Amino acid sequence: MTTPSIGQLLDSTVPMARTLKLEYLETTPERAVLRLPDQPEYHNHVGGPHAGAMFTLAESASGCIVLGAFGDQLSRAVPLAVSAEIAYKKLAMGAVTATAVLGRPAADIVAELDKGERPEFPVTVEITRADGAVTGVMTVLWTLRPNS
């Protein structure tokens, strides 16, 4: 039996990600890169991706890096998003890509969990269009809630 990829895990547990047909380009403990294909059913009034679809893309990328960095901790803690803030910087058109990175070293976060604490940590996500322009920036504050 093979272990599912992070993208497969997200698609199986988060139906919204599957609905948007997100593409998982890279999912490692250091970085997650997801793409939202250009799909007319998720366009806004100017023909680009809807803000809600871009929010879901970015939040999903943040979730992928959390799974990549802390998947080995899921038996003792559940990852939960605490808050999210997004800024839309430029008009997005066509397919957009979200790149997520952890805002703190994973080892520090696990050390807090080892001490019985409920660590919180930011994940920063940049959303870019095909020409490389940053169309949005999101910060998601995550926690690992101990299962006790």
Side-chain angles (χ1 to χ4, degrees):
M1 190 171 197
T2 61
T3 304
S5 70
I6 291 170
Q8 290 168 326
L9 182 60
L10 193 74
D11 274 353
S12 69
T13 57
V14 182
M16 185 65 165
R18 187 175 57 249
T19 298
L20 289 177
K21 300 176 184 78
L22 299 180
E23 299 170 354
Y24 303 92
L25 307 180
E26 180 182 337
T27 54
T28 69
E30 293 78 35
R31 194 168 94 131
V33 182
L34 278 64
R35 181 174 36 231
L36 174 67
D38 187 23
Q39 301 168 82
E41 61 270 30
Y42 301 115
H43 282 177
N44 58 22
H45 63 291
V46 294
H50 188 278
M54 290 193 302
F55 185 100
T56 301
L57 167 69
E59 195 277 340
S60 297
S62 78
C64 283
I65 198 166
V66 169
L67 288 172
F70 305 110
D72 61 342
Q73 304 298 318
L74 296 181
S75 63
R76 66 182 186 140
V78 62
L80 297 169
V82 175
S83 64
E85 184 174 318
I86 192 166
Y88 301 101
K89 303 286 189 180
K90 291 187 178 192
L91 183 62
M93 297 299 283
V96 289
T97 301
T99 302
V101 294
L102 283 178
R104 292 181 49 208
D108 293 353
I109 297 162
V110 172
E112 289 177 20
L113 190 61
D114 289 342
K115 290 188 229 174
E117 298 173 10
R118 182 177 171 166
E120 289 189 353
F121 53 95
V123 174
T124 302
V125 185
E126 278 194 348
I127 305 168
T128 57
R129 58 188 186 209
D131 66 1
V134 175
T135 63
V137 177
M138 174 185 261
T139 300
V140 183
L141 183 65
W142 283 88
T143 188
L144 294 178
R145 186 189 73 198
N147 290 336
S148 58

